[in-house]
């Protein structure tokens, strides 16, 4: 809706209704650096209202069959797909990614998330065993947990928010989602489609605001038994502290420092364009300054080449793709996640050396290996301490299989089976006959 000065003003979505907030945050257009939107600065009051709405909706929604819930998810996917161009334009403006990326990856993947979990919820099986000598039959059933807190990051706003909402409500839970206050617009736009898709009031609630106000109130609430979070390690540590007294179920997908290992026999015609794309896809000048102080060489980009922008965009958040060489493994540029178009290029001499160096970071989310030697591909992939390893490709995802990291990259996995198990509780039933 239009707000002060004609700027877009978002509202919380609670119990199937858009509700205003008493205070708002400014949200900036990253291409110009100007305020273009106001986002609710919600707090405990709004979280409490969302919990009440989600609690009231849970009995009815959880009692629906998987087939009925699947149909609702499919209708929501259809509506998102029909709004693809509008959502892509909004995602590009709000987050700063290219319109092509939003149009070909982010929004189509959000649509696919609902379609995928609408289908997968129909195909889970349970376990059954017999103890004939005791005349007993044992079997398992799974039931939704209750209210799920879903906290998503700024870099893939609708993509990752729907990756959490879809499996949660498919399994019969109700949800309270908190998108990043930096990139909230497409979540708000999705809310406008929920009623038309047949999502009952209170099943999906969106509360906008900051982590200290909304996030902490949500994860510490005693009636919210499970939390799915994607974001930084310090925030995950805080979530763990606040949720520990209630023994909540946690899924924490955190940062990564993803190595791209390129051997001498790699197909460079495929490898180089893909590696460039993977290195510069995200949109941090302090790291480059530190690299220079440590003796590294800046081959191109920030501080080397001039960035020419139209007058309207000169206050925007733009940065040249930057390549750093002669950088030590102990450098912060090699150890820490840089959310910017910066990549470090360093040579190596052997498999053993590159595996040791690639594993010498606290993260373990993903890695890529490029080689024409099939045996080497399998050896290196097995030894890399990463939850995902792409070989001779990048970012090809099979949603049936687990997604998640090792070490400080998180706790738990997401995917068809893993998400279903996270968003449900298993119960063993024994029948003596």
């Amino acid at each position: 809706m239009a707000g002060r000065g004609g700027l877009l003003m978002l509202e919380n979505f609670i119990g199937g209704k858009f509700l205003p907030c008493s205070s708002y945050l400014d949200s900036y257009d990253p291409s110009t650096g100007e305020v273009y939107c106001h986002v609710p600065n919600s707090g405990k009051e709004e979280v409490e209202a969302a919990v009440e709405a989600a609690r009231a909706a849970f009995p009815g929604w959880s009692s629906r069959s998987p087939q009925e819930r699947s149909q609702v998810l499919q209708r929501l996917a259809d509506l998102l797909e029909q709004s693809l161009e509008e959502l892509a334009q909004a995602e590009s403006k709000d987050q700063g990614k290219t319109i092509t990326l939003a149009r070909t990856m982010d929004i189509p993947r959000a649509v696919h998330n609902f379609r995928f979990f609408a289908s997968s919820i129909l195909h889970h099986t349970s376990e059954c065993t017999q103890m004939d000598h005791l005349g007993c039959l044992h079997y398992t059933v799974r039931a939704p947990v209750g209210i799920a807190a879903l906290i998503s990051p700024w870099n893939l706003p609708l993509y990752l928010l729907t990756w959490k909402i879809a499996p949660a409500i498919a399994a019969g839970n109700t949800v309270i989602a908190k998108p990043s206050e930096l990139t909230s617009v497409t979540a708000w736009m999705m809310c406008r489609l929920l009623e038309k898709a047949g999502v009952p009031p209170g099943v999906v609630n969106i509360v906008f605001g900051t982590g200290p106000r909304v996030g902490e109130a949500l994860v510490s609430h005693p009636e919210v038994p499970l939390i799915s979070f994607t974001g930084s390690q310090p925030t995950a540590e805080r979530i763990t502290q606040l949720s520990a007294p209630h023994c909540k179920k946690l899924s924490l997908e955190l940062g990564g420092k993803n190595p791209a290992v390129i051997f001498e026999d790699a197909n460079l015609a495929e490898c180089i364009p893909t590696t460039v794309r993977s290195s510069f896809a995200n949109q941090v000048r302090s790291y480059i300054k530190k690299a220079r102080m440590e003796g590294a060489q800046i081959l191109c980009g920030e501080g080397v080449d001039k960035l020419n922008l139209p007058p309207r965009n000169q206050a925007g958040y733009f940065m040249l793709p930057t390549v750093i060489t002669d950088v030590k493994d102990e450098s912060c540029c090699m150890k820490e996640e840089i959310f910017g178009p910066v990549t470090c290029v360093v040579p190596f001499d052997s498999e053993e050396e590159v595996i040791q160096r690639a594993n010498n970071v606290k993260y373990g989310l993903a890695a890529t290996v490029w080689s024409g030697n099939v045996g080497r591909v399998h050896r290196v992939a097995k030894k890399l301490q990463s939850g995902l390893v792409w070989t001779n490709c990048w970012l090809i995802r099979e949603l049936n299989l687990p997604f998640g990291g090792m070490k400080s990259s998180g706790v738990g996995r997401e995917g068809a089976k893993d998400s279903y198990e996270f968003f449900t509780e298993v119960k063993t039933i024994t029948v003596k006959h």
Side-chain angles (χ1 to χ4, degrees):
M1 61 177 291
R4 300 187 294 267
L7 301 181
L8 186 65
M9 181 172 286
L10 309 189
E11 293 178 315
N12 290 315
F13 187 76
I14 299 172
K17 298 178 181 178
F18 287 103
L19 302 175
C21 191
S22 59
S23 65
Y24 286 83
L25 303 164
D26 289 337
S27 184
Y28 295 82
D29 179 342
S31 72
T32 64
E34 298 173 351
V35 176
Y36 90 104
C37 175
H38 298 298
V39 178
N41 186 21
S42 309
K44 287 185 177 180
E45 182 180 343
E46 289 80 8
V47 169
E48 196 61 52
V51 169
E52 184 177 337
R55 184 201 311 125
F58 179 72
W61 181 248
S62 61
S63 65
R64 291 197 186 189
S65 69
Q67 289 77 9
E68 291 174 308
R69 296 195 295 264
S70 173
Q71 290 169 3
V72 173
L73 267 67
Q74 291 285 13
R75 286 196 293 269
L76 182 53
D78 291 341
L79 293 170
L80 287 170
E81 192 167 47
Q82 291 166 19
S83 304
L84 190 149
E85 182 60 25
E86 182 185 5
L87 288 165
Q89 294 283 348
E91 198 77 292
S92 176
K93 182 172 184 176
D94 196 35
Q95 197 274 343
K97 63 181 67 214
T98 65
I99 183 62
T100 299
L101 197 61
R103 189 183 284 142
T104 60
M105 186 185 77
D106 287 61
I107 309 308
R109 174 59 190 273
V111 173
H112 184 59
N113 287 338
F114 282 109
R115 293 207 197 288
F116 177 80
F117 286 105
S119 174
S120 70
I121 194 63
L122 303 177
H123 303 291
H124 295 290
T125 58
S126 60
E127 299 172 282
C128 179
T129 62
Q130 293 181 215
M131 297 176 68
D132 290 336
H133 64 293
L134 295 177
C136 288
L137 176 74
H138 310 272
Y139 65 95
T140 60
V141 294
R142 284 194 167 269
V145 182
I147 303 172
L150 312 176
I151 303 176
S152 56
W154 61 269
N155 57 327
L156 295 164
L158 195 63
Y159 178 131
L160 288 181
L161 182 65
T162 56
W163 177 240
K164 296 178 184 298
I165 290 176
I169 65 173
N173 300 283
T174 55
V175 305
I176 303 170
K178 191 204 90 66
S180 168
E181 68 276 16
L182 303 177
T183 52
S184 297
V185 171
T186 49
W188 172 75
M189 292 171 68
M190 182 188 69
C191 292
R192 297 186 297 179
L193 305 175
L194 295 176
E195 182 180 1
K196 189 175 181 180
V199 180
V203 170
V204 176
N205 306 275
I206 310 283
V207 181
F208 300 102
T210 64
R213 284 174 57 85
V214 175
E216 295 208 359
L218 185 55
V219 301
S220 62
H221 199 289
E223 293 187 63
V224 178
L226 72 170
I227 302 162
S228 177
F229 167 78
T230 299
S232 70
Q233 184 186 355
T235 304
E237 291 174 3
R238 181 63 176 156
I239 290 172
T240 303
Q241 293 168 356
L242 291 170
S243 63
H246 305 286
C247 297
K248 297 172 185 262
K249 293 182 74 175
L250 298 180
S251 174
L252 307 173
E253 199 271 285
L254 311 180
K257 189 65 177 175
N258 304 335
V261 180
I262 303 172
F263 287 95
E264 77 284 353
D265 59 350
N267 182 338
L268 298 184
E270 292 183 2
C271 166
I272 297 304
T274 304
T275 303
V276 168
R277 206 158 41 89
S278 68
S279 299
F280 300 132
N282 285 315
Q283 297 38 27
V284 175
R285 292 189 169 92
S286 61
Y287 281 97
I288 297 168
K289 184 178 180 181
K290 289 178 184 177
R292 276 205 181 92
M293 293 171 62
E294 293 167 347
Q297 181 182 356
I298 313 301
L299 285 188
C300 62
E302 191 68 22
V304 176
D305 303 305
K306 186 177 181 181
L307 178 61
N308 295 310
L309 294 169
R312 181 175 183 270
N313 302 110
Q314 288 179 0
Y317 312 148
F318 291 92
M319 183 178 173
L320 286 165
T322 301
V323 178
I324 305 175
T325 60
D326 299 327
V327 59
K328 297 179 176 64
D329 287 2
E330 296 73 28
S331 168
C332 62
C333 294
M334 293 289 285
K335 295 281 191 180
E336 299 175 18
E337 185 174 26
I338 304 176
F339 270 107
V342 178
T343 193
C344 300
V345 180
V346 293
F348 62 90
D349 294 318
S350 67
E351 278 185 33
E352 293 74 18
E353 176 199 346
V354 76
I355 290 167
Q356 186 276 326
R357 292 171 67 186
N359 289 338
N360 191 31
V361 293
K362 68 179 182 178
Y363 297 112
L365 182 59
T368 56
V369 179
W370 294 86
S371 174
N373 184 321
V374 175
R376 172 186 277 166
V377 161
H378 286 290
R379 284 195 305 273
V380 175
K382 186 175 181 179
K383 292 179 180 179
L384 288 174
Q385 296 169 356
S386 297
L388 297 94
V389 180
W390 285 287
T391 64
N392 298 325
C393 64
W394 174 66
L395 211 58
I396 297 174
R397 286 277 289 115
E398 162 57 273
L399 302 190
N400 282 293
L401 299 184
F403 176 88
M406 300 179 179
K407 302 188 287 188
S408 293
S409 285
V411 175
R413 294 291 187 272
E414 298 171 317
K417 182 174 180 287
D418 296 270
S419 294
Y420 178 66
E421 291 180 352
F422 176 73
F423 286 113
T424 57
E425 290 282 16
V426 66
K427 179 185 298 184
T428 299
I429 299 173
T430 299
V431 178
K432 185 170 176 62
H433 53 82

